């Protein structure tokens, strides 16, 4: 939770944006409740983050499925470079792991008072985003 909270504080601005996700609308079957297992949120990127220009958008996506999901950005986002901050458990224990990795690199404090650099992975414009479970 710490690393997620840190990224959230650095990236997420106060303005929430409306998004439309095509392909998630399904018809419920009798006796079955459909819960959305792919959650996508959009905010203006924090204006306190000097790495991004005003007007930048931060998406955060939670994939609760058991398999990876692919997302294709559309509209004005289609032609934009994406900076991916992919947080996942580190090690064999999966969700029970005590360590977290960012874009495949384990996260740890440099020393008692120094945070590691949280580097994004740049993805070319138009690339399909692959979101692991």
């Amino acid at each position: 939770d710490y690393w997620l909270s840190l990224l959230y504080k650095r990236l997420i601005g106060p303005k929430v944006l409306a998004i439309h996700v095509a392909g998630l609308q399904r018809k419920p079957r009798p006796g079955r409740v459909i819960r959305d297992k792919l959650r996508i949120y959009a905010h203006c990127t924090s204006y306190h983050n000097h790495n991004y220009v005003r007007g930048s958008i931060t998406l955060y996506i939670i994939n609760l499925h058991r398999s990876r999901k692919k997302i294709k950005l559309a509209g004005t986002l289609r032609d934009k470079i994406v900076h991916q901050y992919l947080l996942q458990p580190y090690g064999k224990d999966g969700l029970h792991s005590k360590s977290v990795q960012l874009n495949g690199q384990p996260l740890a404090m440099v020393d008692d008072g120094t945070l590691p650099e949280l580097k994004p992975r740049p993805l070319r414009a138009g690339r399909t985003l692959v979101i692991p479970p």
Side-chain angles (χ1 to χ4, degrees):
D1 289 345
Y2 176 79
W3 300 110
L4 175 62
S5 297
L6 180 62
L7 270 176
Y8 188 94
K9 182 157 179 67
R10 287 187 179 179
L11 293 173
I12 302 298
K15 189 168 187 174
V16 178
L17 304 172
I19 60 169
H20 172 73
V21 181
L24 287 183
Q25 292 73 26
R26 297 179 291 172
K27 293 181 181 178
R29 288 187 260 163
R32 185 168 181 201
V33 175
I34 293 179
R35 291 196 171 98
D36 191 4
K37 291 185 176 185
L38 187 65
R39 299 178 186 168
I40 304 174
Y41 306 92
H43 286 251
C44 287
T45 302
S46 174
Y47 51 85
H48 296 296
N49 190 324
H50 301 292
N51 295 323
Y52 297 100
V53 298
R54 281 193 183 263
S56 294
I57 296 172
T58 298
L59 298 174
Y60 56 103
I61 304 167
I62 304 167
N63 180 8
L64 299 173
H65 288 274
R66 292 181 183 195
S67 61
R68 67 186 182 143
K69 296 297 170 188
K70 295 180 180 180
I71 298 172
K72 189 82 168 165
L73 298 178
T76 57
L77 297 178
R78 179 180 321 155
D79 300 323
K80 304 294 181 193
I81 293 174
V82 171
H83 288 174
Q84 182 179 51
Y85 295 86
L86 180 61
L87 291 173
Q88 293 180 281
Y90 179 71
K92 298 176 187 174
D93 295 329
L95 291 177
H96 299 287
S97 176
K98 294 182 186 212
S99 299
V100 173
Q101 61 183 335
L102 173 65
N103 297 325
Q105 299 298 315
L107 289 172
M109 295 290 288
V110 175
D111 57 39
D112 286 343
T114 309
L115 292 167
E117 189 176 353
L118 301 177
K119 294 184 198 176
R121 177 180 172 212
L123 304 176
R124 67 173 165 71
R127 180 172 172 179
T128 299
L129 306 177
V130 178
I131 311 299

